Amino acid sequence: MTALTDPPHAPLPRIIQGGMGVAISGWELARAVSSMGELGVISATGIDNLLVRRLQDGDPGGHVRQALAAYPDQDRAQKAVADYYLESGRESGQSYKRVPLPSLRNHRVAWELAVMGGFVEVWLAKQGHANPVGANLLTKLQMHTLPALYGCLLAGVDTVIMGAGIPRDIPGVLDAFAQGKAASIRLDIKGDSTGEPVLLTFDPAEYGFGGRTLTRPRFYPIVTSHVLASVLAKKATGSIEGFIIEAPTAGGHNAPPRGTVTYDETGQPIYGERDLADLNEMRKIGLPFWLAGGSGSPEALRAALEQGAAGIQVGTLFAYCRESGFDADLRTQVQERAQSQRLQVYTDPLASPTGFPFKVVTLPDTLSNEELYRERPRICDIGYLREAYRDEVGKVGLRCPAEPVDAFLSKDGKLEDTVGRKCLCNALMADAGHAQIQKSGYEELPLLTSGDGVSALTDWPVGYTAADVVAYLRGGLA
Ligand SMILES: Cc1cc2nc3c(=O)[nH]c(=O)nc-3n(C[C@H](O)[C@H](O)[C@H](O)COP(=O)(O)O)c2cc1C
């Protein structure tokens, strides 16, 4: 399928700032990077709850309300402000009002807010310059993908970057949205043997955007292997304009090692040569690619270009700069620990409810501390990482391995799948300074992720900027 509107023809960036959820690569970071002519990428993960939490924190600087004033549907935008904005922020101990937990049948409010959230983030990242801006989403978060993507397109996002799953359906979705049409993705249903497809559909017309054509962004899937890249290039539902090749050293989620998984003495999965993409094969595909994972240095940029890559994607180094969305105290703690050689990153095979390995920064006051993890009362009140399952009578429901164990078991879940699972939804909101205070008074704790290369922060003063990172990396072009 071809889009009505051609992809934008901006030159390819040498540096892509990695999409980092929740809110770590927010609009401020993406705007800083894009305004320097590299590709800044917002994270559209959790964007609906992020929107309403920012409003409830008093919307410092008025940015969210400024973006909402530009939203094409003013009735809905003003309703969101009326429902969530608190001029003086929350009172001490006050919980955030949540986005209603979406279900397969009932997700209207959550989806409206996701469209708005995607729009706000991209709109803000695009202010003050005319360069391209990207958006990142996790493929596995299927319940939220379509409206968040639509919101990003509505604000004119130039590039969409998605991994953590196989984003085979997404190019066709982008084509359809660009043409003003409804788009669907097929829900992945755990252990389903019926083969009956369940579709999630977002129709712009049902959300007040009928008949509107939009620019079709470039699409770069994140892959770990050349095999997957080649399959996607041939079999995706629409065009792909490039690839991000992510090595297992990258921050965030990692693909599991290929074949039978073995673990080191501390329980981390062991990766080998087989887990690295063959760049010879990548070159044969004929599309541009960027190397991610431990590529945050001028030497790595130079090496990437020499190997035929278009450039690099860098996460960790941007995650600790001044414009990142990490809570400032957490950011400083990590930098100080790096400087005194007390920082560790652990590739946790269990922490993420997705079942993908997740890199965790070991910090005492976060859920990486086993004792604090055990003390946390389990609750699933955000629900992004819920998986679909089909029960004995054929009904499809949603469950999360990090939700209360009894609830998970009552949904045909297995006890062993709950072990060590952490509520990333709440923890990542806390990382960005938006920790929920639960009804019991319990305040959600953070859990930080970073790439193996986080130890390189020793060389960076607290408060360094995105511009410092870009200038440093561009040294590799000299
Ligand atoms: C704090 C943090 C959060 C991340 N979150 C995401 C995410 O939400 N989606 C995604 O595709 N990648 C995510 N990543 C991966 C980055 O986009 C990027 O590919 C990776 O960080 C590159 O490797 P590096 O960390 O060694 O620079 C995250 C990385 C970090 C450090």
Side-chain angles (χ1 to χ4, degrees):
M1 188 193 278
T2 43
L4 285 181
T5 341
D6 278 344
H9 292 289
L12 295 177
R14 300 298 176 96
I15 301 165
I16 299 180
Q17 161 253 305
M20 297 180 281
V22 173
I24 305 309
S25 62
W27 61 268
E28 277 179 282
L29 176 55
R31 184 169 74 175
V33 174
S34 283
S35 56
M36 285 176 281
E38 305 298 344
L39 186 65
V41 179
I42 62 106
S43 164
T45 300
I47 207 72
D48 48 345
N49 273 290
L50 194 65
L51 173 80
V52 306
R53 290 189 184 195
R54 284 176 174 158
L55 287 172
Q56 290 172 79
D57 285 336
D59 184 23
H63 306 291
V64 174
R65 281 165 298 146
Q66 192 195 355
L68 284 175
Y71 191 65
D73 182 339
Q74 276 306 293
D75 287 348
R76 284 196 175 87
Q78 292 318 315
K79 182 168 180 339
V81 173
D83 287 350
Y84 294 101
Y85 175 59
L86 298 175
E87 194 177 347
S88 315
R90 290 169 306 136
E91 282 165 24
S92 123
Q94 186 181 347
S95 303
Y96 283 108
K97 185 172 169 185
R98 299 174 180 84
V99 171
L101 204 61
S103 69
L104 289 170
R105 273 153 224 88
N106 191 356
H107 43 250
R108 177 90 201 180
V109 178
W111 281 25
E112 279 179 2
L113 290 166
V115 177
M116 245 177 269
F119 175 89
V120 164
E121 207 67 13
V122 172
W123 189 89
L124 287 169
K126 281 190 151 254
Q127 297 308 297
H129 65 91
N131 297 325
V133 164
N136 172 267
L137 278 157
L138 300 171
T139 308
K140 281 218 167 208
L141 274 59
Q142 289 183 303
M143 276 298 292
H144 307 264
T145 298
L146 292 173
L149 261 182
Y150 188 77
C152 293
L153 262 70
L154 207 49
V157 75
D158 302 276
T159 304
V160 169
I161 300 178
M162 287 176 66
I166 301 176
R168 195 180 159 274
D169 294 342
I170 301 303
V173 168
L174 299 177
D175 288 338
F177 285 168
Q179 295 169 19
K181 294 181 184 161
S184 302
I185 52 176
R186 191 179 160 148
L187 189 67
D188 293 328
I189 304 175
K190 185 119 186 201
D192 190 18
S193 54
T194 67
E196 278 171 45
V198 174
L199 294 182
L200 287 170
T201 301
F202 179 88
D203 183 353
E206 279 176 23
Y207 285 78
F209 301 108
R212 186 181 282 259
T213 55
L214 301 166
T215 302
R216 201 277 196 183
R218 288 171 170 161
F219 183 57
Y220 303 160
I222 305 172
V223 295
T224 51
S225 85
H226 54 276
V227 181
L228 178 56
S230 165
V231 170
L232 279 170
K234 287 185 198 130
K235 301 230 167 114
T237 52
S239 68
I240 284 170
E241 283 70 34
F243 291 98
I244 309 291
I245 315 278
E246 206 174 67
T249 48
H253 285 94
N254 300 135
R258 296 178 70 195
T260 311
V261 183
T262 52
Y263 298 91
D264 68 13
E265 66 285 357
T266 63
Q268 303 184 91
I270 299 174
Y271 290 89
E273 282 295 312
R274 260 155 48 95
D275 299 304
L276 300 176
D278 180 335
L279 299 188
N280 263 328
E281 296 298 320
M282 280 308 303
R283 285 191 291 269
K284 286 186 200 159
I285 297 175
L287 289 171
F289 57 91
W290 288 260
L291 302 184
S295 293
S297 69
E299 295 76 23
L301 174 55
R302 192 173 310 128
L305 296 173
E306 281 166 10
Q307 294 173 91
I312 51 175
Q313 173 171 283
V314 176
T316 300
L317 206 46
F318 284 113
Y320 292 93
C321 75
R322 197 189 297 163
E323 294 89 344
S324 110
F326 265 140
D327 173 79
D329 276 355
L330 291 169
R331 209 161 60 205
T332 309
Q333 267 185 54
V334 169
Q335 276 203 270
E336 285 174 358
R337 288 192 155 245
Q339 271 146 21
S340 54
Q341 320 286 329
R342 287 178 300 140
L343 195 62
Q344 278 179 339
V345 171
Y346 179 74
T347 307
D348 192 330
L350 298 178
S352 171
T354 63
F356 280 34
F358 184 70
K359 283 216 198 309
V360 168
V361 179
T362 309
L363 270 192
D365 297 331
T366 70
L367 289 184
S368 66
N369 176 336
E370 189 60 24
E371 212 171 300
L372 295 180
Y373 164 63
R374 281 185 209 285
E375 279 169 20
R376 176 182 181 269
R378 281 185 175 226
I379 180 172
C380 182
D381 57 345
I382 300 181
Y384 295 128
L385 292 166
R386 289 173 299 167
E387 62 190 17
Y389 71 100
R390 199 184 283 278
D391 69 13
E392 285 160 0
V393 293
K395 208 172 132 245
V396 177
L398 297 170
R399 66 185 181 202
C400 177
E403 73 182 314
V405 174
D406 289 350
F408 186 70
L409 298 182
S410 74
K411 298 176 192 169
D412 298 343
K414 296 198 183 96
L415 184 61
E416 61 264 32
D417 289 342
T418 65
V419 176
R421 295 290 196 250
K422 294 180 172 150
C423 175
L424 295 190
C425 293
N426 270 297
L428 299 194
M429 287 283 169
D431 290 355
H434 303 294
Q436 181 60 291
I437 298 173
Q438 301 293 1
K439 238 188 228 156
S440 61
Y442 176 83
E443 182 166 347
E444 295 289 354
L445 290 177
L447 181 71
L448 273 65
T449 181
S450 289
D452 292 339
V454 72
S455 47
L457 285 178
T458 31
D459 303 332
W460 292 83
V462 172
Y464 70 92
T465 64
D468 295 335
V469 176
V470 169
Y472 166 71
L473 296 175
R474 279 181 178 163
L477 300 173

